[in-house]
Short mmCIF file of all heavy atoms in Angstrom, two decimals:
data_model
loop_
_atom_site.label_atom_id
_atom_site.label_comp_id
_atom_site.label_asym_id
_atom_site.label_seq_id
_atom_site.Cartn_x
_atom_site.Cartn_y
_atom_site.Cartn_z
N ALA A 545 87.45 109.16 73.01
CA ALA A 545 88.27 108.42 72.04
C ALA A 545 89.71 108.30 72.53
O ALA A 545 90.37 107.28 72.33
CB ALA A 545 88.22 109.10 70.68
N GLY A 546 90.20 109.35 73.20
CA GLY A 546 91.56 109.31 73.74
C GLY A 546 91.72 108.24 74.80
O GLY A 546 92.71 107.52 74.84
N LEU A 547 90.71 108.11 75.67
CA LEU A 547 90.75 107.09 76.72
C LEU A 547 90.67 105.69 76.10
O LEU A 547 91.35 104.76 76.54
CB LEU A 547 89.60 107.29 77.70
CG LEU A 547 89.62 108.61 78.47
CD1 LEU A 547 88.27 108.88 79.13
CD2 LEU A 547 90.72 108.59 79.52
N GLU A 548 89.84 105.55 75.08
CA GLU A 548 89.70 104.25 74.41
C GLU A 548 91.03 103.85 73.76
O GLU A 548 91.42 102.68 73.78
CB GLU A 548 88.57 104.32 73.36
CG GLU A 548 87.19 104.34 74.02
CD GLU A 548 86.08 104.89 73.13
OE1 GLU A 548 86.35 105.27 71.96
OE2 GLU A 548 84.93 104.97 73.62
N ALA A 549 91.73 104.82 73.18
CA ALA A 549 93.03 104.53 72.55
C ALA A 549 94.04 104.08 73.60
O ALA A 549 94.80 103.13 73.38
CB ALA A 549 93.55 105.76 71.81
N SER A 550 94.03 104.73 74.77
CA SER A 550 94.94 104.34 75.85
C SER A 550 94.66 102.89 76.28
O SER A 550 95.57 102.11 76.52
CB SER A 550 94.77 105.26 77.06
OG SER A 550 95.44 106.47 76.83
N ARG A 551 93.39 102.58 76.38
CA ARG A 551 93.03 101.22 76.79
C ARG A 551 93.45 100.20 75.73
O ARG A 551 93.95 99.13 76.05
CB ARG A 551 91.53 101.15 77.08
CG ARG A 551 91.08 99.76 77.41
CD ARG A 551 89.86 99.67 78.27
NE ARG A 551 89.25 98.37 78.11
CZ ARG A 551 89.73 97.24 78.64
NH1 ARG A 551 90.81 97.28 79.38
NH2 ARG A 551 89.11 96.10 78.43
N ARG A 552 93.25 100.54 74.45
CA ARG A 552 93.69 99.62 73.39
C ARG A 552 95.20 99.43 73.45
O ARG A 552 95.70 98.32 73.25
CB ARG A 552 93.29 100.16 72.01
CG ARG A 552 91.83 99.94 71.65
CD ARG A 552 91.59 100.15 70.15
NE ARG A 552 91.95 101.49 69.71
CZ ARG A 552 91.13 102.55 69.74
NH1 ARG A 552 89.89 102.40 70.17
NH2 ARG A 552 91.54 103.73 69.33
N ALA A 553 95.94 100.50 73.73
CA ALA A 553 97.40 100.40 73.85
C ALA A 553 97.76 99.41 74.94
O ALA A 553 98.64 98.56 74.76
CB ALA A 553 97.99 101.77 74.14
N ALA A 554 97.06 99.49 76.08
CA ALA A 554 97.36 98.60 77.20
C ALA A 554 97.01 97.16 76.86
O ALA A 554 97.77 96.23 77.19
CB ALA A 554 96.60 99.06 78.45
N LEU A 555 95.89 96.95 76.19
CA LEU A 555 95.49 95.58 75.83
C LEU A 555 96.51 94.98 74.87
O LEU A 555 96.89 93.81 74.98
CB LEU A 555 94.09 95.58 75.20
CG LEU A 555 92.92 95.84 76.17
CD1 LEU A 555 91.62 95.99 75.40
CD2 LEU A 555 92.81 94.71 77.20
N GLU A 556 96.98 95.78 73.91
CA GLU A 556 97.96 95.29 72.93
C GLU A 556 99.29 95.00 73.61
O GLU A 556 99.93 93.99 73.33
CB GLU A 556 98.12 96.33 71.81
CG GLU A 556 99.20 96.04 70.78
CD GLU A 556 99.01 94.71 70.05
OE1 GLU A 556 97.92 94.12 70.11
OE2 GLU A 556 100.00 94.25 69.42
#
Side-chain angles (χ1 to χ4, degrees):
L547 297 165
E548 287 159 1
S550 281
R551 176 153 159 75
R552 281 195 301 273
L555 288 173
E556 174 59 15

